[in-house]
Amino acid sequence: MIKTIEWTDEGVVMIDQRRLPSEELYPVFTTYDEVAVAIEEMVIRGAPAIGVAAAMGIALGAKQSAASTPDELESDFNQACDRIAKTRPTAVNLFWAVKRMGEVFRAVKQSGASIEAIQNRLIKEALNIHEEDIESNKRMGRYGAQLLPQDVTILTHCNAGALATAGYGTALGVVRAAVEAGKTVNVIADETRPFLQGARLTAWELAKDDIPVTLITDNMAGHFMKSGQINCVVVGADRIAANGDVANKIGTYMVALAAHANNIPFYVAAPLSTIDLELKSGDEIPIENRVITEVTHIRGQQISPDGIQVANPAFDVTPHRYIAAIITDAGVARAPYEESLKALFK
Ligand code: MRU
């Protein structure tokens, strides 16, 4: 199995996703600030994986604190949380993990535990988040696989696989579970400009697992749908609002529109930690804008004129009316999403 992220005595080890598929490198990040920079620079990416990295970064910050009282430790802990929370704004799993670590910190501190006991408990919580994510992906995969026909060609956008999680994947977890259930599965991965998560990461991890995958450019998806070569779309999510609107990698909205126009079911697979019931609709989801060189350059090579004006929003919002179902680790939600999503938390 691909090891996306791991806690070690030396620090947090992550596969460097910027270098895939040409190089498979596993650098170690030894401070919470290094983990924060790794999230910002996309060494690790994908909503659930960002959540795990955030928890491990915070645990690392607490472990390395020189505090001599629990109050001093709290101040160092808060500093690590604040730094990690400023890395990427869209994937809510990051804020979910920061909140969960904070709740654990306060509960253990209040119980009168020693500094060392608090530090160990935070490391344990980060490891729990890591482990639970793999289990949740497998559960989600089984729910999702049941929705697919016996012989299926699935289009996916971006990378919502093992690399985007602690392992197994959300959208690609559905793919893996369908394969494990004996279905005949073909995946069409679109390249996902500008960062090329589809071409570099989805194609790499599916090929590694011997799951048939065909790579296309983003502008080919409509053609493949219209010509009857795609049975369904399965994507991941970075944040899902209470009404079922879904923020995911830029380009997802266009894929959803094309699927809708061709009567192809469009499924979203995401754990409960990606659902943000505090936001009424997708209009409230903050959309990250990233550096323009992701658009003007491909792997270091400039492809556009000097000084050209560029926009680079990293995510878009797909309105809930285009979504056939949201597959979660607590079951499958269908419209009306206000009710079905809320019911998953009971
Ligand atoms: O910018 P990224 O690569 O972090 O964006 C990732 C996505 O949009 C994924 O589809 C999403 O996080 C789900 S990952 C299971």
Side-chain angles (χ1 to χ4, degrees):
M1 193 162 93
I2 294 159
K3 283 203 173 140
T4 308
I5 178 165
E6 224 186 340
W7 176 270
T8 69
D9 289 343
E10 287 72 47
V12 181
V13 174
M14 304 181 216
I15 188 169
D16 189 341
Q17 302 195 27
R18 298 166 308 178
R19 311 289 284 269
L20 288 170
S22 20
E23 287 175 294
E24 194 175 331
L25 302 174
Y26 293 86
V28 53
F29 299 86
T30 57
T31 64
Y32 76 81
D33 193 62
E34 282 182 18
V35 173
V37 172
I39 296 171
E40 281 162 353
E41 295 187 349
M42 311 274 275
V43 170
I44 190 157
R45 30 64 51 203
I50 292 171
V52 175
M56 288 188 180
I58 290 166
L60 196 58
K63 183 189 160 193
Q64 291 174 341
S65 163
S68 50
T69 66
D71 282 341
E72 279 173 30
L73 181 64
E74 184 157 22
S75 152
D76 289 348
F77 172 85
N78 287 339
Q79 203 176 329
C81 289
D82 290 348
R83 172 69 184 97
I84 294 280
K86 285 199 182 86
T87 51
R88 296 194 71 192
T90 304
V92 75
N93 306 61
L94 177 107
F95 307 99
W96 171 88
V98 171
K99 186 166 169 240
R100 181 161 155 177
M101 295 296 279
E103 282 163 4
V104 166
F105 182 93
R106 283 181 289 279
V108 188
K109 183 181 173 230
Q110 227 161 38
S111 75
S114 66
I115 290 181
E116 200 190 343
I118 301 174
Q119 289 166 325
N120 288 337
R121 183 64 188 83
L122 290 170
I123 295 170
K124 175 83 177 24
E125 195 62 16
L127 294 174
N128 288 347
I129 290 175
H130 183 267
E131 204 173 303
E132 287 167 23
D133 187 59
I134 299 176
E135 286 160 20
S136 111
N137 287 339
K138 292 197 168 159
R139 233 175 10 252
M140 197 183 323
R142 286 192 291 272
Y143 286 127
Q146 289 170 17
L147 305 177
L148 306 181
Q150 181 60 30
D151 192 339
V152 63
T153 299
I154 302 168
L155 174 80
T156 192
H157 183 68
C158 194
N159 173 267
L163 289 167
T165 59
Y168 204 71
T170 58
L172 297 191
V174 173
V175 167
R176 288 193 166 94
V179 171
E180 283 161 26
K183 300 197 177 190
T184 304
V185 183
N186 284 284
V187 176
I188 296 191
D190 61 26
E191 64 176 348
T192 319
R193 274 281 287 150
F195 205 69
L196 301 172
Q197 289 93 332
R200 298 189 302 103
L201 310 177
T202 296
W204 180 77
E205 70 165 85
L206 290 179
K208 211 172 162 69
D209 272 3
D210 289 325
I211 297 174
V213 56
T214 302
L215 177 64
I216 62 171
T217 63
D218 295 318
N219 49 2
M220 295 175 188
H223 164 75
F224 277 85
M225 290 187 200
K226 188 163 169 285
S227 54
Q229 298 180 71
I230 288 168
N231 303 105
C232 67
V233 178
V234 187
V235 297
D238 288 86
R239 199 186 289 227
I240 301 175
N243 70 345
D245 290 352
V246 168
N248 191 47
K249 180 50 53 194
I250 192 77
T252 302
Y253 174 47
M254 284 201 323
V255 172
L257 286 176
H260 181 73
N262 288 284
N263 284 317
I264 293 169
F266 179 93
Y267 298 118
V268 174
L272 293 187
S273 52
T274 303
I275 299 173
D276 186 353
L277 293 181
E278 282 175 25
L279 303 189
K280 273 206 191 89
S281 85
D283 297 342
E284 295 173 42
I285 299 175
I287 301 292
E288 176 184 13
N289 284 294
R290 293 190 58 83
V291 285
I292 62 166
T293 46
E294 287 183 358
V295 176
T296 55
H297 290 64
I298 295 184
R299 308 227 99 181
Q301 177 81 39
Q302 188 171 328
I303 56 159
S304 55
D306 283 338
I308 195 82
Q309 197 160 308
V310 176
N312 187 19
F315 302 96
D316 61 26
V317 174
T318 299
H320 58 86
R321 64 180 175 279
Y322 299 124
I323 300 169
I326 298 177
I327 303 155
T328 77
D329 44 345
V332 175
R334 290 192 189 263
Y337 290 107
E338 263 104 357
E339 289 154 35
S340 59
L341 290 178
K342 214 189 292 169
L344 294 173
F345 288 86
K346 289 190 180 133

